[in-house]
Structures are given as C-alpha cells and as structure tokens.
Amino acid sequence: MSFGAARFSASPRAASRSAASPLAVSSFAAAALRNALIVLLALCIFGPLTNLLLWTVTEAWYFPAKLPVSWGFSYWTRVFRPEAGAMLALGNSVLIALSTVALSTLVAIPAGYALAQRGLPLRSLFLLLFLLPQAFPAIAVHLNIARIFYGFGLNGTITGVVLVHALQGLVFSVWITSAAFAAVGSEPIEAARNLGASPLRAFCDVSLPLASPGIIASAIFVFLISIDEFSGTFFVGAPEISTLPLQLYSAATEGNYQIASITALLLLLPSILFMFVVERFLRADVLAKIGT
Amino acid sequence: MTTITLPASPRRPDWLPALLLLPALLVVATLFVYPLACSLLYAFRDEKLGVWGWGNFLRAWDLYARDIYFTFGVVLLSTALIGVLAIAIAGYLTLGENRRAVAVLRWLYRWPLFIPVVVAGQMMRTFLAKNGLMNNALMALDLIEPLQAISFLDWRGLVFTFVWKQLPFATLLLAGAMAALDRSMIEAARNLGAGRLRVLWQILMPQLRPTLLVSLILSFVAILSVLSVPMMINAGSPTMITVDMAWRVASYSDYGVANALGFISCAMCGLAAWFYLRQGLREGGRP
C-alpha cells in the first residue's frame, strides 16, 4: 500500500523543515505534505464510517451512482419489527455483556487486589498467565470450549456465552483493576489501619472507593469486548443464542446492505458513547501502572 | 484508658493472596488452559480410526495449504504495515512541532479503537466494494474510469481492515511509552542539531523496542484470531484458516482437521513469540 510508504516519508521532510537554515519554500511544502497526509488518514478512517452511515438511510443505490439514488428510513422499520430478530439479539447482547461485566468484576477485584501487592511471589508470572489467552489464537480455544460445554449442556445457553466472554475480557479486567489498586498506594490503607479499622473495613471503605474509577474503566472495556465478541458466540451460542454481531453477520451474508448497516450502527453506538466516557475513568496514574 | 495500638502493617497470612487469586486462576485454567491442551492434543488424534498420528495435518495440508500461506502472508503484511504506521504516528505525536497538527492527529487516530471488529468488517464491505465510496471518490476525482472500478474485497480488503482496526492499539501503546520517556534526552539531541527522524530512530526507538514488539505480537495474534472479518470480506478461496476451521466444525464436525489448523496457527504465534524472545535475549546479552 502506497499509503503506508507515503505516511512514513513525512518525517524526513518534516525534519528538514526544522533544520538549521530552513527555506521558506521547503517549509511550506513540508507543511502542505503534512496536512495532506493528515487529510488522507482522516479519509481512510472516516470514509468507511460515512459509507456505512449512508447505507443506513439508503432506499436504492446501484453501481454507477456516486451517492444513493433514493433515500429513506423504510429499512429501519424492517429491522425493528419483532420477527426480524434484531431486537431480541440486542436484548441478548446487552444481557450477556452486563452478566459478563458482573462475573469478571467479581473475579478481578480479589485477583487485582492480590496482584497490586508488589511483594507477591511469582507476581509477574501471574500477570503473564492472564495475558496468555490473548497470546494464542482464540478460535482454536473456542471450538474446543464448545466441545467441552456440549458435555455440560452449556452450548446454546446464555451462561455458556457469558463464560467465554469473561475469558476474553479477563486480561483487561485483571490488569486494569490491579493497576487501579496499585495506584491507590499503601498510605491511605495504613492510615485507616492505624485508626483501628480492620483489614476488611480498610479494604471496603478506603481501597475500593479509591480504586473504583479504574474498576469502572475495566468494566467498560469488558462490556465492549463482550458486545463485540463474535467467534466465541459463534461456536458456543449459535444457533440458539443470537447476538448483534451474529445478526449483523447473517444480514451481511444475505447481501442486504441496509439491514446490515443499520444493525452495525446499533452495535456502534455503545462503543462510541463509551469512548468518550472511558477517558474520565482511566486516569494517567492508573494507565501508567497497567501490566507493571 | 490504655489502648493497644496495632503494628502499622501486620504480616498478612501467606494463603490470602492465593485465595484471592483462585477464582481468576480457575477461569483461566478451565476455560483456557484445558481447551488449549485439548486443541493441541486432539490435533494428533484421528477419531474415526481411533489412532494417534499425523493424519489430520496431512489432510489439513492437502485441503488448505494455499489458505495457510495466504493467512500467513496477510497477517505478516498487516503487522508490518501496523508497525511502520504506528512508529510514524506515535513519532509525530511525540516530536511534532505544530501543536494543531499534533492535536488533530491525536484526536483522529484513536477512532477505530472502539469500533467493533464486526462493524469494521461491514464498513469495509460497503467502502471497498465496486460501488463503494472509495471507488466513487476516485471516479469523482477522475483518477479512475468507471470501467476500471474493481472490488477490493480480497487480500487487500483484509489487510486494509486489519490495519485500520489494529493500528490505534499499537499507536496508543507506542505513544504512551514515548510520552513516559525522559524528554531531556530528546531536547539534548535536538539542541545538538539532530533532525527529528534521527531522534526517532536513534534515541526513541532503541528504548521502545520491547513495547513495539509486544504491541506487534498482540496485533499479530489478534489478526490471526479474527473470524468475522474474513467471513464477511473474503469467504471465497483463498481465505484465512479461521474460516476453514469454522467450516470443518460446522459442516463436517471434523474436529481433527480443525484442531490441526488450530495447531498451525498456534505455531505461527509461536514463531512470533520466538522472534520476540530471541530479540530479548540478544538485548539482554548486550553489554
């Protein structure tokens, strides 16, 4: 892709701009090139997004036409009809995501608290262990989980899907929660202990509230991972459990651009929403401690 | 009244951290280690004949050799492009002197990070298709004739989608690590007349090689694991082995060949990890 080569060559030009004796012309050319590359990047990022949004309000759009031939919302009513299954899939997706968040948070708070103590033996080994599911191809694991779950009757159940999603989200929940507890430090807890609080009380009244922004950030990550998860749901949940990603996939393979695009937009909204929210919870001091 | 003050930090019992870690470790053991072991083991098991051996690998190679090469090529090319572009963007974010350009770039590059992979797949299906916005824009600019418009929904579509989706993650890690470095060294080099490219290459990158490698390996594995994007963009032949694995299981209940393909994709990840460890050893061995 020439795009990559072009973007990379920005740096030498930009560097020559600030060399000891800059010529006005070369400086102008460098600035123009830099702006052109940023515009190109913006087109590459927002072009696909725009195309998707256009298809959600398209009635008809054939090949030579550069923009939709006729516009309208008729496909929206088709998506939201109960028999279309999109609303059921949306409900399933939200239910599964919230259950996954609850399960991972419940598991990650004690684990994160233990891993936040620097003196824990084999600490980095444990951190690495939680990263491992991301370091192996998920499909190989998912299809064997499906096979094991089959024996327990967990295939095609919400519980089965939640368990698979919790595994996918575990590294984020454990690492971010651990970073959040590490960022609290030991002073506030020692102060509470010196004032006579029991270890449990110090944890509940001091550590947990101070770490909660980081824990909320980790919950947001887990929620997004669960909402987006495809292959685990495909192997463990389908065909009984349909989520929005599976619904989107089947709409796409049926070749209906409008219905697929509207479903994609439904899936996109929580992600965009959380993108603006997560920065408020994930503070720099927590961010710096992730994975360390 | 006498009060007994507790010691400031009493020794915690040794079993407490283990107990706290137990639930999370159980999740990893039952839902990851055990299925992975099954996957690696049953790749060597012919369940029809009830024997152990290389049969599944031979069949997988017969049926899908082209897809294995294709997968490796697509994943490697995507990872390489992610590396080059992430260094360029993170480098400009750290060393760029035009504040407005840096601010715009910082706002811009993150967008795909939070966009679900399936949604990215659907976007690219519309954007890179023959009647997609990309061809339409090129036609509107008179860069191509309508007759020249082709669909990019093949290996190019896959690479574009993977780079698009995974680049912000690698850039975020790299830019974060760059921001955490001591700026005084950068200032010193700049004062001594080093250009920004030279600062990036000779001062920033040597310190960031571990971060870069980690982000690239995680991207490599993430791309290798994606099922939805190749299913949506490029389900024909040649395609990626994730699609073949899903197909073997869904259509033939053939776990043997599927697990053999899984073993091969683990081996590809192992190759990446070996590369990382070798690099680490070389750096560790350096005086």
Side-chain angles (χ1 to χ4, degrees):
Chain A
M1 290 197 336
S2 58
F3 163 55
R7 180 66 192 85
F8 194 48
S9 67
S11 305
R13 297 286 190 89
S16 71
R17 186 171 69 90
S18 59
S21 61
L23 290 167
V25 177
S26 83
S27 149
F28 178 77
L33 181 70
R34 181 198 66 216
N35 293 343
L37 288 171
I38 290 182
V39 168
L40 184 64
L41 185 69
L43 288 176
C44 283
I45 288 178
F46 290 115
L49 196 59
T50 314
N51 210 159
L52 183 97
L53 293 177
L54 280 178
W55 270 109
T56 62
V57 289
T58 292
E59 295 286 313
W61 189 356
Y62 341 101
F63 167 52
K66 293 190 179 60
L67 285 174
V69 186
S70 60
W71 308 72
F73 286 91
S74 72
Y75 282 93
W76 283 80
T77 54
R78 280 178 60 181
V79 169
F80 286 104
R81 273 193 311 216
E83 64 268 27
M87 295 318 287
L88 183 70
L90 177 66
N92 276 341
S93 276
V94 172
L95 175 66
I96 289 169
L98 290 177
S99 314
T100 307
V101 166
L103 177 65
S104 338
T105 311
L106 227 61
V107 167
I109 285 179
Y113 185 75
L115 289 170
Q117 321 299 324
R118 293 263 157 198
L120 185 76
L122 304 177
R123 190 173 156 276
S124 46
L125 193 72
F126 283 125
L127 278 175
L128 191 68
L129 186 69
F130 292 113
L131 183 67
L132 274 188
Q134 312 292 318
F136 281 86
I139 307 280
V141 175
H142 285 158
L143 67 94
N144 285 284
I145 290 182
R147 216 177 178 194
I148 295 162
F149 276 9
Y150 190 74
F152 293 96
L154 283 168
N155 267 8
T157 65
I158 298 273
T159 317
V161 177
V162 168
L163 286 171
V164 179
H165 287 193
L167 174 74
Q168 286 309 105
L170 197 65
V171 65
F172 294 93
S173 54
V174 169
W175 279 31
I176 299 174
T177 307
S178 156
F181 280 121
V184 170
S186 58
E187 291 92 1
I189 300 148
E190 272 166 22
R193 298 278 286 127
N194 285 340
L195 292 171
S198 70
L200 188 66
R201 178 102 195 265
F203 173 78
C204 291
D205 288 359
V206 180
S207 307
L208 205 54
L210 286 175
S212 59
I215 296 171
I216 292 171
S218 85
I220 290 174
F221 273 98
V222 172
F223 186 90
L224 292 179
I225 286 167
S226 170
I227 279 276
D228 183 21
E229 217 283 337
F230 183 84
S231 70
T233 324
F234 182 84
F235 284 111
V236 172
E240 290 88 351
I241 305 291
S242 182
T243 58
L244 274 184
L246 293 185
Q247 192 76 19
L248 168 55
Y249 166 68
S250 56
T253 46
E254 281 160 20
N256 194 319
Y257 277 50
Q258 286 92 336
I259 289 186
S261 298
I262 294 166
T263 315
L265 189 62
L266 284 181
L267 202 49
L268 194 58
L269 288 179
S271 311
I272 298 285
L273 190 73
F274 278 137
M275 184 174 95
F276 291 106
V277 174
V278 78
E279 293 217 341
R280 296 185 42 194
F281 292 107
L282 203 55
R283 295 189 318 253
D285 57 335
V286 174
L287 204 56
K289 285 200 157 61
I290 291 174
T292 59
Chain B
M1 198 173 109
T2 54
T3 50
I4 303 162
T5 49
L6 290 163
S9 52
R11 253 185 74 79
R12 250 183 276 264
D14 286 341
W15 48 265
L16 187 65
L19 190 71
L20 294 175
L21 275 170
L22 193 66
L25 290 177
L26 264 178
V27 171
V28 175
T30 54
L31 293 174
F32 173 70
V33 178
Y34 178 52
L36 183 71
C38 286
S39 164
L40 299 179
L41 200 63
Y42 280 95
F44 295 94
R45 176 85 178 165
D46 189 325
E47 290 179 53
K48 275 197 195 114
L49 302 175
V51 292
W52 299 92
W54 293 94
N56 294 326
F57 286 91
L58 297 176
R59 271 176 17 97
W61 188 257
D62 268 352
L63 291 165
Y64 300 117
R66 234 177 119 210
D67 289 355
I68 294 169
Y69 287 128
F70 179 81
T71 304
F72 194 61
V74 164
V75 177
L76 210 58
L77 180 61
S78 308
T79 312
L81 284 171
I82 288 169
V84 169
L85 293 172
I87 293 172
I89 295 176
Y92 192 78
L93 289 177
T94 312
L95 301 172
E97 277 160 4
N98 184 318
R99 280 216 187 144
R100 202 148 33 136
V102 170
V104 169
L105 194 60
R106 192 182 299 283
W107 175 82
L108 186 64
Y109 86 91
R110 293 182 194 203
W111 275 81
L113 188 67
F114 288 91
I115 291 179
V117 184
V118 241
V119 175
Q122 175 59 25
M123 284 178 181
M124 298 309 169
R125 266 172 72 86
T126 60
F127 184 64
L128 302 175
K130 193 174 174 189
N131 64 337
L133 218 48
M134 193 168 87
N135 276 327
N136 292 350
L138 293 176
M139 280 188 270
L141 293 171
D142 277 330
L143 290 174
I144 56 167
E145 296 294 313
L147 283 176
Q148 288 174 298
I150 49 160
S151 161
F152 292 94
L153 298 175
D154 48 16
W155 64 272
R156 289 167 295 189
L158 288 175
V159 171
F160 187 87
T161 314
F162 291 141
V163 172
W164 190 89
K165 175 66 190 130
Q166 207 61 36
L167 179 61
F169 170 73
T171 312
L172 193 72
L173 282 187
L174 216 53
M178 280 186 192
L181 290 181
D182 191 3
R183 276 202 83 87
S184 62
M185 220 190 311
I186 302 172
E187 305 297 336
R190 296 287 283 142
N191 287 340
L192 291 171
R196 278 186 289 179
L197 189 69
R198 194 154 167 216
V199 171
L200 177 66
W201 208 243
Q202 295 190 337
I203 294 182
L204 292 182
M205 286 324 291
Q207 303 181 65
L208 292 174
R209 193 167 291 154
T211 312
L212 177 68
L213 277 171
V214 166
S215 67
L216 289 186
I217 287 173
L218 289 178
S219 300
F220 184 96
V221 178
I223 294 170
L224 198 54
S225 304
V226 175
L227 172 64
S228 52
V229 169
M231 264 175 145
M232 289 169 84
I233 287 189
N234 183 38
S237 177
T239 187
M240 295 184 69
I241 52 177
T242 47
V243 179
D244 299 328
M245 287 160 75
W247 175 250
R248 286 323 286 182
V249 169
S251 301
Y252 302 102
S253 296
D254 182 357
Y255 284 89
V257 169
N259 277 328
L261 289 172
F263 194 100
I264 291 168
S265 61
C266 285
M268 287 184 197
C269 295
L271 204 68
W274 171 77
F275 190 74
Y276 170 67
L277 289 175
R278 200 192 58 162
Q279 200 75 28
L281 282 181
R282 191 186 289 168
E283 257 151 52
R286 196 183 283 165

